[in-house]
Amino acid sequence: MFDLKYHKDYFAGSRDELCAKIQQSVSTKRYQHILGVEQAAVQLAQENNVDVEKASIAGLVHDYAKERSTEEFKRVIKKKHLDPDLLKWNNFIWHGVVGAEIIADELKIDDEEILNAVRRHTVGSAVMTQLDKVVYVADFIEKGRVFPDVDFARTIAFNNLDQAVAFETKHTLQYLLAANKTIYPAAIETYNRWVVAVN
Ligand code: GDP
Ligand code: FE
Ligand code: FE
């Protein structure tokens, strides 16, 4: 799994070179999480006929921008002319949606399928490709994750990817509601499409 030679259209270098860049951008703890997400994403990709190289790259880069400052994200939102409404949100939302722009610039990754999987990894989307689902679910079930339902989530993930998207979406929304957190509008769209429509 880990001697992948990436297609040059996805990343101009080896997996080791990509990993070295990622390690420079995040803490050791987050890097371990990232490796876990890559592993889960590759396994889910194999199960679901998704491009394994894209799953590996998207898994490795998904949290690349997670430790960037508020100022940097705001700068990127303005420079790239992203929806100004994003300025009202925070790192939880920015690291995927805005992080994709930082990944494109710094890692020279321009494959829109990979970038979209990063954009959608935190709250999902009404429209999700198989690669989007793989990364969204891998982030939830990677081997370092510890929460009461995680084994159940892993079982669903390897049985039915759409049901895993639904389970994760509902689980996250329940947590956000219980903790009186704001709900990013796209998270509701994900709920309406994947939780209500699937069950
Ligand atoms: P991580 O980057 O590997 O920690 O995982 P995620 O990217 O999935 O999630 C990052 C954080 O965003 C988690 O703490 C979620 O609870 C939080 N989050 C997810 N959806 C929403 C939302 O709609 N609103 C808010 N405020 N936070 C959210
Ligand atoms: Fe994340
Ligand atoms: Fe993550």
Side-chain angles (χ1 to χ4, degrees), residues 134-163:
V134 158
V135 177
Y136 182 72
V137 171
D139 192 22
F140 195 58
I141 61 146
E142 63 95 358
K143 62 181 191 277
R145 289 282 195 213
V146 187
F147 55 88
D149 294 328
V150 74
D151 284 329
F152 184 60
R154 287 182 182 126
T155 303
I156 304 175
F158 285 98
N159 272 322
N160 185 317
L161 192 60
D162 283 6
Q163 277 176 21

Coordinates of all heavy atoms in Angstrom, one line a residue, residues 134-163:
V134 N -15.2 8.4 0.7 CA -14.1 7.7 1.2 C -13.3 8.5 2.2 O -13.0 8.0 3.3 CB -13.2 7.1 0.1 CG1 -11.8 6.8 0.5 CG2 -13.9 5.9 -0.6
V135 N -13.0 9.7 1.9 CA -12.2 10.6 2.8 C -13.0 11.0 4.0 O -12.5 11.0 5.1 CB -11.6 11.8 2.0 CG1 -10.8 12.7 2.9 CG2 -10.8 11.3 0.8
Y136 N -14.3 11.4 3.8 CA -15.2 11.8 4.9 C -15.3 10.7 5.9 O -15.1 10.9 7.1 CB -16.5 12.1 4.2 CG -17.6 12.6 5.1 CD1 -17.6 13.9 5.7 CD2 -18.7 11.8 5.4 CE1 -18.6 14.4 6.5 CE2 -19.8 12.3 6.2 CZ -19.7 13.6 6.7 OH -20.8 14.0 7.5
V137 N -15.5 9.5 5.4 CA -15.7 8.4 6.4 C -14.3 7.9 7.0 O -14.2 7.6 8.2 CB -16.4 7.2 5.6 CG1 -16.4 5.9 6.5 CG2 -17.8 7.6 5.3
A138 N -13.3 7.9 6.2 CA -11.9 7.5 6.7 C -11.5 8.4 7.8 O -11.0 8.0 8.8 CB -10.9 7.6 5.6
D139 N -11.8 9.7 7.7 CA -11.5 10.7 8.8 C -12.2 10.3 10.1 O -11.7 10.5 11.2 CB -11.9 12.1 8.3 CG -11.4 13.2 9.2 OD1 -10.4 13.0 9.9 OD2 -12.0 14.3 9.1
F140 N -13.3 9.7 10.0 CA -14.2 9.4 11.2 C -13.7 8.1 11.8 O -13.8 7.9 13.0 CB -15.6 9.3 10.7 CG -16.7 9.3 11.7 CD1 -16.8 10.3 12.6 CD2 -17.6 8.2 11.8 CE1 -17.9 10.3 13.6 CE2 -18.6 8.2 12.7 CZ -18.7 9.3 13.6
I141 N -13.3 7.1 11.0 CA -13.0 5.8 11.5 C -11.6 5.4 11.6 O -11.3 4.2 11.9 CB -13.8 4.7 10.7 CG1 -13.2 4.8 9.2 CG2 -15.3 4.9 10.7 CD1 -13.3 3.4 8.5
E142 N -10.6 6.3 11.3 CA -9.2 5.8 11.2 C -8.8 5.2 12.6 O -9.4 5.5 13.6 CB -8.3 7.0 10.8 CG -8.3 8.2 11.7 CD -7.1 8.2 12.7 OE1 -6.3 7.2 12.8 OE2 -7.0 9.1 13.5
K143 N -7.7 4.4 12.6 CA -7.5 3.6 13.7 C -7.2 4.3 15.0 O -7.3 3.8 16.1 CB -6.4 2.6 13.4 CG -5.0 3.1 13.1 CD -4.1 2.0 12.8 CE -2.6 2.4 12.7 NZ -2.2 3.0 11.4
G144 N -6.8 5.6 14.9 CA -6.5 6.4 16.1 C -7.8 7.0 16.8 O -7.7 7.5 17.9
R145 N -8.9 7.0 16.1 CA -10.1 7.6 16.6 C -10.7 6.7 17.8 O -10.7 5.5 17.7 CB -11.2 7.6 15.6 CG -11.0 8.6 14.5 CD -11.3 10.1 14.9 NE -11.4 11.0 13.8 CZ -11.1 12.2 13.8 NH1 -10.6 12.8 15.0 NH2 -11.2 13.0 12.8
V146 N -11.0 7.4 18.9 CA -11.6 6.8 20.1 C -12.9 7.5 20.4 O -12.9 8.6 20.9 CB -10.6 6.8 21.3 CG1 -11.2 5.9 22.4 CG2 -9.2 6.4 20.9
F147 N -14.0 6.8 20.3 CA -15.3 7.3 20.8 C -16.3 6.1 20.9 O -16.0 5.1 20.2 CB -15.9 8.5 20.0 CG -16.1 8.3 18.5 CD1 -17.3 7.7 18.0 CD2 -15.1 8.6 17.6 CE1 -17.4 7.5 16.7 CE2 -15.3 8.3 16.2 CZ -16.4 7.8 15.8
P148 N -17.3 6.2 21.7 CA -18.1 5.0 22.0 C -18.6 4.2 20.7 O -18.6 3.0 20.8 CB -19.3 5.6 22.8 CG -18.7 6.8 23.4 CD -17.7 7.4 22.5
D149 N -19.0 4.9 19.7 CA -19.6 4.2 18.5 C -18.6 3.9 17.5 O -19.0 3.5 16.4 CB -20.7 5.1 17.9 CG -21.9 5.3 18.9 OD1 -22.1 4.4 19.6 OD2 -22.5 6.4 18.8
V150 N -17.3 4.1 17.7 CA -16.3 4.0 16.6 C -16.3 2.6 16.0 O -16.1 2.5 14.8 CB -14.9 4.5 17.0 CG1 -14.2 3.6 17.9 CG2 -14.1 4.9 15.8
D151 N -16.4 1.5 16.8 CA -16.3 0.2 16.2 C -17.6 -0.1 15.3 O -17.4 -0.7 14.3 CB -16.2 -0.9 17.3 CG -14.8 -0.9 17.9 OD1 -13.8 -0.6 17.1 OD2 -14.6 -1.2 19.1
F152 N -18.7 0.4 15.8 CA -19.9 0.3 15.0 C -19.7 1.1 13.7 O -20.1 0.6 12.6 CB -21.1 0.8 15.8 CG -22.4 0.7 15.1 CD1 -22.9 -0.6 14.8 CD2 -23.2 1.8 14.8 CE1 -24.1 -0.7 14.2 CE2 -24.4 1.7 14.2 CZ -24.9 0.4 13.9
A153 N -19.2 2.3 13.8 CA -19.0 3.1 12.6 C -18.0 2.4 11.6 O -18.2 2.4 10.4 CB -18.4 4.4 13.0
R154 N -17.0 1.7 12.1 CA -16.1 1.0 11.3 C -16.7 -0.2 10.6 O -16.5 -0.4 9.4 CB -14.9 0.4 12.1 CG -13.9 1.5 12.5 CD -12.7 1.0 13.4 NE -11.9 2.1 13.8 CZ -11.6 2.4 15.0 NH1 -11.9 1.6 16.0 NH2 -10.9 3.4 15.3
T155 N -17.6 -0.9 11.3 CA -18.3 -2.0 10.7 C -19.2 -1.5 9.5 O -19.2 -2.1 8.4 CB -19.2 -2.7 11.7 OG1 -18.3 -3.1 12.8 CG2 -19.9 -3.9 11.2
I156 N -20.0 -0.4 9.8 CA -20.8 0.1 8.7 C -20.0 0.5 7.5 O -20.3 0.3 6.4 CB -21.7 1.3 9.2 CG1 -22.5 1.0 10.4 CG2 -22.6 1.8 8.1 CD1 -23.2 2.2 11.0
A157 N -18.9 1.2 7.8 CA -18.0 1.8 6.8 C -17.6 0.7 5.8 O -17.6 0.9 4.5 CB -16.8 2.5 7.3
F158 N -17.3 -0.5 6.3 CA -16.8 -1.5 5.3 C -18.0 -2.4 4.8 O -17.7 -3.3 4.0 CB -15.7 -2.4 6.0 CG -14.4 -1.6 6.1 CD1 -14.0 -0.9 7.2 CD2 -13.6 -1.5 4.9 CE1 -12.9 -0.1 7.2 CE2 -12.5 -0.8 4.9 CZ -12.1 -0.1 6.1
N159 N -19.2 -2.1 5.2 CA -20.4 -2.7 4.7 C -21.1 -1.9 3.6 O -21.5 -2.4 2.6 CB -21.4 -3.0 5.8 CG -21.1 -4.4 6.4 OD1 -20.7 -5.3 5.8 ND2 -21.3 -4.4 7.7
N160 N -21.2 -0.6 3.9 CA -22.0 0.2 3.0 C -21.6 1.7 3.2 O -21.9 2.3 4.2 CB -23.5 0.0 3.3 CG -24.4 0.8 2.4 OD1 -24.1 2.0 2.0 ND2 -25.5 0.2 1.9
L161 N -20.8 2.2 2.2 CA -20.2 3.5 2.3 C -21.3 4.6 2.5 O -21.1 5.5 3.3 CB -19.4 3.8 1.1 CG -18.4 5.0 1.1 CD1 -17.4 4.9 2.3 CD2 -17.7 5.1 -0.2
D162 N -22.4 4.5 1.8 CA -23.5 5.5 1.9 C -24.1 5.5 3.3 O -24.3 6.6 3.9 CB -24.6 5.3 0.9 CG -24.2 5.8 -0.5 OD1 -23.0 6.1 -0.7 OD2 -25.0 5.7 -1.4
Q163 N -24.3 4.3 3.9 CA -24.8 4.3 5.3 C -23.8 4.8 6.3 O -24.2 5.4 7.3 CB -25.1 2.8 5.6 CG -26.5 2.4 5.1 CD -26.8 1.0 5.4 OE1 -26.3 0.4 6.3 NE2 -27.8 0.4 4.6

